[in-house]
Amino acid sequence: MPDKTAHLDPRRAEPFSAWLRGLALAGGIILFAMSALVVANVTLRGVADTSVTGVFDLVKIGAAMCVFLFLPLCQARRGNIMVDTFTSSLPANIRLSLDALWDLVYAGVIAFIAVAMLQGAREQFASHVQTTQLAVPIWPFNLLAALLLFVLSAVSIATALRLLTARR
């Protein structure tokens, strides 16, 4: 019997995969900039006994943004960690159905977290929470992270639908 999952090419994941690649590229640019910032900071400490002001704030924010920018493409390509020890011997239809179910559960959990992050961003805005060294407001970054989590949730629903249509 032919494998019903053979046509699921993760590289052409979703109709909006070019947009997701753009998000991941933005994450890569931020990651590169953070790396350059850390190298500059270490170099300045070694050579001139000084440092880049706010490097810790910038790296914390940048690292978080990278994660949220990378996750939607990772999900679209089904690159998240999966444990298939118990399901690998099941028929393809059942495996696809279970994978789709877990994608939907993931979408729900991520949407819940996104709503909580929106609430957190609103509270941070109201209380003027800022970073320690640079005194930059934190709420815009949490708002962006929440929006990216909603994107991740939508991508998870799309991957579940793709798996369900592949069953046929």
Side-chain angles (χ1 to χ4, degrees):
M1 176 183 268
D3 184 6
K4 292 184 179 185
T5 63
H7 71 283
L8 289 176
D9 182 1
R11 289 169 295 185
R12 57 173 209 87
E14 309 299 329
F16 45 92
S17 65
W19 187 69
L20 298 179
R21 284 192 307 273
L23 290 177
L25 179 63
I29 291 168
I30 291 170
L31 188 59
F32 179 79
M34 284 187 329
S35 300
L37 182 64
V38 169
V39 167
N41 189 53
V42 170
T43 302
L44 281 172
R45 281 182 183 259
V47 172
D49 198 29
T50 187
S51 64
V52 177
T53 304
V55 71
F56 296 111
D57 288 348
L58 295 171
V59 169
K60 278 193 292 189
I61 290 169
M65 289 299 98
C66 285
V67 169
F68 292 113
L69 287 164
F70 291 147
L71 277 174
L73 182 63
C74 182
Q75 175 63 28
R77 292 186 172 186
R78 309 231 2 104
N80 286 327
I81 296 173
M82 292 189 291
V83 179
D84 62 358
T85 307
F86 302 108
T87 61
S88 59
S89 62
L90 294 175
N93 281 346
I94 295 173
R95 271 196 336 266
L96 290 171
S97 296
L98 286 172
D99 287 348
L101 170 68
W102 286 115
D103 280 0
L104 291 174
V105 169
Y106 184 55
V109 169
I110 293 300
F112 178 78
I113 294 170
V115 169
M117 286 194 75
L118 278 178
Q119 178 63 27
R122 189 168 51 157
E123 291 173 8
Q124 290 168 341
F125 175 77
S127 60
H128 307 288
V129 177
Q130 298 176 335
T131 61
T132 308
Q133 295 176 329
L134 296 177
V136 174
I138 293 176
W139 70 268
F141 303 105
N142 280 336
L143 177 63
L144 178 59
L147 295 175
L148 289 167
L149 284 175
F150 281 121
V151 171
L152 175 58
S153 183
V155 169
S156 297
I157 292 168
T159 58
L161 293 174
R162 188 177 74 211
L163 290 168
L164 289 173
T165 58
R167 288 180 358 175
R168 296 179 187 150

